[in-house]
Amino acid sequence: MTAITAKKIIKDFESGDQKNRVLNGIDIEVKLGQMTMLVGPSGCGKTTLISILTGILSSTKGAIDVMGKSITQMSDKERVLFRRNTIGFIFQQFNLLPALTAAENAAMPLIADDIPIEVAVKKSKLILSKLGMENHVDKLPRQLSGGQQQRIAIARALIHDPPIIVCDEPTSSLDAKTGKEVMELLRDVARTPNRAVLIVTHDSRIYHYADRIIEMNDGQIIAEHTPKNYQHQE
């Protein structure tokens, strides 16, 4: 079973009478039990594509199934609820709430599902400990480094056990040691039969963690690689 299947995805952005085609007929599958990396030059459409695959943006044309359900046929409200229960997001911008502690920030998806705060925070502290944050769970975001804030964002994405994790440059602000720890955790998540991880990245240090590398350029998928042959080309 695939986690995400998209066919003939087109995305146009319009400004006045100008139309800019950002995605031009994308076909892509993200498979369960794998870590898939999406690579390519800045501006080639990677972030737009993952936003459409996860229902944050609507495509101009095309069809998308996520975990066997068509998100293109859902209402906006249905997509929001489906996304909240199905997908964990790790973005370049951490989007942490400044008045909440690390543990409270990581617990937000559970709190949004009406799970008692003390239960949600207890689980978030366990996940943060696995990410090396056990001494920082009660600190506010402003008291933490960029790498530590990224780990909170990762814990927040994992806490509700979603079948799909989508990451936009998850190691961009992490040092090599922390990046390795984060990628090993994500790899373990990806290699369970009912989970999938999709990562947009420019970080060549992490390519070897991938099961598949999909290369984009100019709004199209141009090739699929194994980590070994892609790194050899680079």
Side-chain angles (χ1 to χ4, degrees), residues 20-93:
N20 180 27
R21 179 152 292 181
V22 178
L23 300 178
N24 190 13
I26 295 275
D27 290 338
I28 187 172
E29 284 189 345
V30 178
K31 298 178 181 179
L32 289 167
Q34 289 190 352
M35 178 180 288
T36 302
M37 291 189 186
L38 195 60
V39 303
S42 296
C44 74
K46 301 185 301 297
T47 299
T48 300
L49 177 59
I50 63 168
S51 297
I52 288 173
L53 295 179
T54 55
I56 295 173
L57 286 178
S58 296
S59 61
T60 304
K61 293 182 180 179
I64 304 153
D65 285 355
V66 178
M67 298 303 292
K69 296 184 178 181
S70 172
I71 64 169
T72 43
Q73 295 180 357
M74 293 180 184
S75 67
D76 289 345
K77 183 177 180 180
E78 287 171 335
R79 269 201 300 270
V80 168
L81 291 172
F82 181 73
R83 192 167 60 235
R84 192 171 79 190
N85 293 324
T86 309
I87 303 169
F89 294 96
I90 303 168
F91 291 120
Q92 285 178 285
Q93 303 299 320

Side-chain angles (χ1 to χ4, degrees), residues 20-195:
N20 180 27
R21 179 152 292 181
V22 178
L23 300 178
N24 190 13
I26 295 275
D27 290 338
I28 187 172
E29 284 189 345
V30 178
K31 298 178 181 179
L32 289 167
Q34 289 190 352
M35 178 180 288
T36 302
M37 291 189 186
L38 195 60
V39 303
S42 296
C44 74
K46 301 185 301 297
T47 299
T48 300
L49 177 59
I50 63 168
S51 297
I52 288 173
L53 295 179
T54 55
I56 295 173
L57 286 178
S58 296
S59 61
T60 304
K61 293 182 180 179
I64 304 153
D65 285 355
V66 178
M67 298 303 292
K69 296 184 178 181
S70 172
I71 64 169
T72 43
Q73 295 180 357
M74 293 180 184
S75 67
D76 289 345
K77 183 177 180 180
E78 287 171 335
R79 269 201 300 270
V80 168
L81 291 172
F82 181 73
R83 192 167 60 235
R84 192 171 79 190
N85 293 324
T86 309
I87 303 169
F89 294 96
I90 303 168
F91 291 120
Q92 285 178 285
Q93 303 299 320
F94 309 135
N95 300 319
L96 303 179
L97 298 172
L100 299 185
T101 66
E104 291 164 343
N105 265 289
M108 284 308 297
L110 298 184
I111 294 169
D113 280 339
D114 295 325
I115 290 173
I117 291 175
E118 58 273 16
V119 175
V121 167
K122 183 177 180 180
K123 184 172 181 181
S124 77
K125 287 181 177 180
L126 288 174
I127 295 175
L128 286 166
S129 293
K130 291 181 182 178
L131 290 167
M133 290 284 289
E134 61 274 7
N135 295 324
H136 306 288
V137 293
D138 295 320
K139 293 182 180 177
L140 298 173
R142 67 174 180 270
Q143 299 172 302
L144 301 169
S145 68
Q148 290 167 334
Q149 291 184 46
Q150 176 67 299
R151 281 181 271 183
I152 299 170
I154 290 167
R156 183 180 57 198
L158 296 175
I159 195 166
H160 59 305
D161 299 316
I164 301 170
I165 305 292
V166 176
C167 316
D168 193 355
E169 302 286 357
T171 57
S172 60
S173 62
L174 304 181
D175 59 41
K177 179 178 180 294
T178 306
K180 180 175 181 290
E181 292 169 354
V182 165
M183 288 308 302
E184 287 174 351
L185 178 65
L186 290 174
R187 182 183 60 191
D188 290 344
V189 169
R191 290 185 177 168
T192 55
N194 59 345
R195 307 288 285 279

Side-chain angles (χ1 to χ4, degrees), residues 88 192 197 216:
T192 55
V197 176
M216 285 186 69

Side-chain angles (χ1 to χ4, degrees), residues 28-31 34-40 46 49-50 167 170-171 183-184 186-187 190-191 197-216 221 223-227 230-231:
I28 187 172
E29 284 189 345
V30 178
K31 298 178 181 179
Q34 289 190 352
M35 178 180 288
T36 302
M37 291 189 186
L38 195 60
V39 303
K46 301 185 301 297
L49 177 59
I50 63 168
C167 316
T171 57
M183 288 308 302
E184 287 174 351
L186 290 174
R187 182 183 60 191
R191 290 185 177 168
V197 176
L198 175 62
I199 297 177
V200 169
T201 187
H202 290 97
D203 188 351
S204 61
R205 299 175 303 172
I206 69 171
Y207 291 160
H208 66 281
Y209 289 101
D211 296 292
R212 302 161 66 217
I213 295 178
I214 296 173
E215 184 179 4
M216 285 186 69
I221 290 174
E224 182 173 328
H225 308 273
T226 64
Y230 186 68
Q231 288 182 302

